[in-house]
């Protein structure tokens, strides 16, 4: 991805996050609870436990996973029909050396 593409992605995520701050705070807390209980979390988990607002842009889910000290530990196909079996990252706690 080009630097411009990354900047546009980041701007888009920031814009949708600013419109749904209360949901974002709640979703991040749920996501961290899941990763602490299971050792891993995905967007599918988040959709099941804390669905995004119906008027939210899909980038809002990406905002949940940003800057929380998580890392991608695996990939799998989404189980949500709306995701059309696309590959999604599985996140876990960042391991310190």
């Amino acid at each position: 991805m080009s630097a411009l593409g990354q900047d546009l992605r980041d701007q888009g995520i920031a814009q949708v996050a600013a419109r749904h701050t209360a949901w974002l705070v709640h979703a991040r807390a749920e996501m961290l609870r899941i990763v602490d209980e299971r050792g891993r979390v995905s967007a599918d988990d988040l959709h099941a436990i804390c669905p995004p607002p119906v008027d939210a842009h899909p980038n809002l889910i990406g905002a949940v996973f940003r800057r929380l000290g998580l890392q991608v530990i695996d990939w799998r196909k989404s189980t949500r029909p709306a995701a059309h079996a696309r590959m999604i990252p599985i996140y876990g706690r960042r391991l310190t050396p």
Side-chain angles (χ1 to χ4, degrees), residues 74-96:
D74 201 0
W75 291 83
R76 69 175 166 106
K77 288 184 181 179
S78 176
T79 58
R80 293 182 319 106
H84 302 273
R86 76 173 172 268
M87 297 299 288
I88 60 171
I90 309 300
Y91 294 91
R93 291 278 184 194
R94 187 174 306 279
L95 300 175
T96 56

Side-chain angles (χ1 to χ4, degrees), residues 3-19:
L4 176 59
Q6 290 174 356
D7 288 345
L8 291 172
R9 176 203 59 202
D10 293 346
Q11 289 172 17
I13 289 174
Q15 287 174 352
V16 297
R19 286 194 287 268

Side-chain angles (χ1 to χ4, degrees), residues 15-60:
Q15 287 174 352
V16 297
R19 286 194 287 268
H20 298 284
T21 54
W23 179 86
L24 190 59
V25 168
H26 175 69
R28 282 183 171 154
E30 286 297 308
M31 183 202 56
L32 292 173
R33 181 186 62 76
I34 293 168
V35 80
D36 286 343
E37 287 177 1
R38 302 178 192 170
R40 57 193 317 138
V41 65
S42 72
D44 284 356
D45 298 323
L46 195 57
H47 275 277
I49 292 172
C50 189
V54 293
D55 64 333
H57 188 280
N59 283 356
L60 186 59

